[in-house]
Amino acid sequence: MEAFAVPGLPEIEAGDDLAALVANRVSLREDDVVCVASTVVSKAEGRTAALSDYPAGPRAREIASRLESVTGEEKDPRFAQAVLEESTDVLMDAPFLLTETRFGHVGVNAGIDRSNTGGDDLLLLPKQPSESAERIRDGLPVDCPVLVTDTSGRPFRHGQRGVTLGWAGMPASRDWRGEEDRDGHELEVTVESVVDELAAAANLVSGEGSGGTPVVVVRGFEFGDHDGSQELYREVSGDFVRQALRGWSYE
Ligand code: GDP
Ligand code: MN
Ligand code: MN
Ligand code: MN
């Protein structure tokens, strides 16, 4: 398996046809997975915003002032308002704002980006990343899967890595349950989130800064002979860590 960046992509603007931009720069194959950073999907979909679009309500002002006192940093209540408007649930409001987006992803600040925004104040995540992935896939000349990725932190470990927000053309995970390990023990719980693993590989190539490489092709990945599942985002009822967070509050 190899991973390489699509070269020569321009600054992406609202209305750009990402599929065509990619297809014109790389000769795709059926064993490719096209991994697109959500940053450019958002730009192409016009998901940019200005802080002035979000006059802060009482909840946002309360969150921002608490964040300010906890972190000692200045917090713009309009940013908190933008996060609230992009979210369906607030998991933590201090010492940072951790929320769930409409499509099920839990991320700091609802994944709203303030870097690589193309000059706008804010870059919101795509509204429905799997639909974005499907649209990009429909525009490609070759029938290969498409992932929409983002860089995201994770609990318990330092550092961030790529995750998949939306996908099309492949299952989200492969199921090893019922197969045997080398000692003949049957695997009971292993469902491998292949879209996140592919996103992590893509993120490794695309980088975070000014590299200008938002699309990475992973070539030669083999799903193998496994059952697949489309599940990625946990329901609250089966998410025990999230349940433990309820009833917890900072300081
Ligand atoms: P995110 O992980 O989806 O938030 O995306 P990043 O902000 O980390 O950017 C990923 C990669 O895409 C980096 O190499 C950026 O330099 C690059 N990038 C971001 N926006 C653009 C763009 O409009 N055009 C090009 N060519 N590259 C971009
Ligand atoms: Mn970014
Ligand atoms: Mn991002
Ligand atoms: Mn990134």
Side-chain angles (χ1 to χ4, degrees), residues 162-186:
V163 295
T164 284
L165 301 180
W167 64 101
M170 69 178 292
S173 57
R174 63 179 171 192
D175 193 344
W176 293 85
R177 290 174 299 181
E179 298 186 36
E180 288 184 351
D181 73 4
R182 291 164 63 83
D183 307 314
H185 298 301
E186 189 176 310

Side-chain angles (χ1 to χ4, degrees), residues 79-214:
F79 184 70
Q81 182 68 33
V83 173
L84 290 177
E85 290 188 25
E86 286 299 302
S87 304
T88 55
D89 191 20
V90 177
L91 282 74
M92 289 172 62
D93 59 7
F96 51 82
L97 198 42
L98 183 71
T99 73
E100 178 178 1
T101 65
R102 265 175 236 107
F103 58 91
H105 173 63
V106 171
V108 174
N109 297 330
I112 298 177
D113 231 317
R114 302 178 84 167
S115 61
N116 284 325
T117 63
D120 289 282
D121 292 340
L122 309 176
L123 198 54
L124 315 176
L125 288 181
K127 269 209 166 96
Q128 291 293 343
S130 287
E131 289 173 17
S132 307
E134 194 67 64
R135 274 195 298 275
I136 295 167
R137 183 171 133 83
D138 283 344
L140 294 175
V142 172
D143 189 25
C144 51
V146 173
L147 310 181
V148 172
T149 69
D150 194 17
T151 307
S152 176
R154 59 259 168 96
F156 311 117
R157 305 170 77 90
H158 285 289
Q160 307 190 330
R161 51 68 178 100
V163 295
T164 284
L165 301 180
W167 64 101
M170 69 178 292
S173 57
R174 63 179 171 192
D175 193 344
W176 293 85
R177 290 174 299 181
E179 298 186 36
E180 288 184 351
D181 73 4
R182 291 164 63 83
D183 307 314
H185 298 301
E186 189 176 310
L187 300 173
E188 286 170 7
V189 294
T190 310
V191 177
E192 184 188 12
S193 174
V194 285
V195 290
D196 277 349
E197 293 176 308
L198 290 163
N203 199 87
L204 201 55
V205 176
S206 64
E208 305 295 342
S210 62
T213 47

